[in-house]
Amino acid sequence: IGTYHYKSYLSFSQDSVLILKRYVPVYGDSTIITCDAETLSQSGSYFETSLFGLWAGSGAQRTNKEAHSGIYSILLVREHPYGFTVNFEDAHEGDRFLITVWTKNNRNQAGIVAAAPNISHLYELSTDPDPSNVNWKDLSLNVTIYKGFPSGEIRIYLWDYGGEPVYFDDLTIRRFKSQWFPCK
């Protein structure tokens, strides 16, 4: 926000000091969105979430072979590697997303992804590093939309990039909306 030039009498040179103002997000509002794979849309293509009007994709991958809670979970395989896809079209700088999901048979081959339409603007991947994951374990990803983010859209989804069958259940997205305020 400012530059001050000065002369140094010790080194007989001229230099400058740059004054910066740091902005930090302040979170006053949060929304918790859950999806437990139990309820599908009428077409069977989407999972119902706890937020009215927000749907999670890939309902066709629902299975009753394994479940962390309830009767159903989602099974991702090589032919269908994406699931629980949720789009937010109103993401703003400073917004924070804390995403958690339960996973089984995930031997460091699948994770949570948060991405912008142009992945050079935002791409975060969380994986499970435990190669012996045969029981249900939780995965999480914490993403903050940076200041100057060029797109209002962010997509959150699960990705089985290894191709081996992986189960997911009980997706939770906690969204913190922010306003930027200068530090004092």
Side-chain angles (χ1 to χ4, degrees):
I1 61 170
T3 304
Y4 294 95
H5 301 285
Y6 67 92
K7 291 183 180 178
S8 172
Y9 294 104
L10 294 175
S11 63
F12 301 106
S13 64
Q14 186 172 351
D15 207 344
S16 57
V17 173
L18 301 175
I19 307 298
L20 305 175
K21 183 183 267 188
R22 181 176 169 212
Y23 286 85
V24 296
V26 175
Y27 302 107
D29 184 19
S30 72
T31 303
I32 298 175
I33 302 159
T34 59
C35 184
D36 58 9
E38 299 300 313
T39 308
L40 292 175
S41 64
Q42 287 183 349
S43 68
S45 300
Y46 298 95
F47 292 99
E48 184 179 297
T49 70
S50 61
L51 184 61
F52 180 77
L54 184 66
W55 298 89
S58 304
Q61 274 76 267
R62 185 170 83 160
T63 183
N64 62 0
K65 291 180 183 176
E66 294 281 346
H68 177 256
S69 69
I71 300 170
Y72 299 103
S73 67
I74 187 170
L75 175 62
L76 301 183
V77 293
R78 183 179 314 277
E79 297 80 22
H80 302 284
Y82 304 104
F84 277 156
T85 303
V86 179
N87 292 320
F88 294 93
E89 297 188 6
D90 61 342
H92 300 288
E93 57 188 35
D95 286 359
R96 190 171 137 230
F97 294 86
L98 177 57
I99 307 122
T100 58
V101 69
W102 287 88
T103 182
K104 185 174 182 178
N105 292 344
N106 187 352
R107 295 177 176 89
N108 198 20
Q109 74 214 35
I112 304 166
V113 176
N118 181 343
I119 62 171
S120 67
H121 296 149
L122 175 70
Y123 184 86
E124 297 283 336
L125 170 66
S126 172
T127 61
D128 185 3
D130 183 1
S132 64
N133 178 230
V134 293
N135 296 317
W136 288 98
K137 292 186 73 173
D138 63 328
L139 277 177
S140 64
L141 179 63
N142 191 352
V143 177
T144 301
I145 307 300
Y146 62 88
K147 188 161 176 61
F149 182 66
S151 171
E153 186 178 345
I154 182 173
R155 176 174 289 159
I156 296 171
Y157 58 93
L158 306 176
W159 180 31
D160 178 6
Y161 53 84
E164 297 298 317
V166 178
Y167 296 94
F168 289 99
D169 200 2
D170 298 326
L171 174 71
T172 301
I173 301 171
R174 186 156 187 193
R175 180 182 184 178
F176 300 88
K177 291 187 178 182
S178 76
Q179 297 177 345
W180 287 90
F181 289 99
C183 289
K184 296 189 180 212

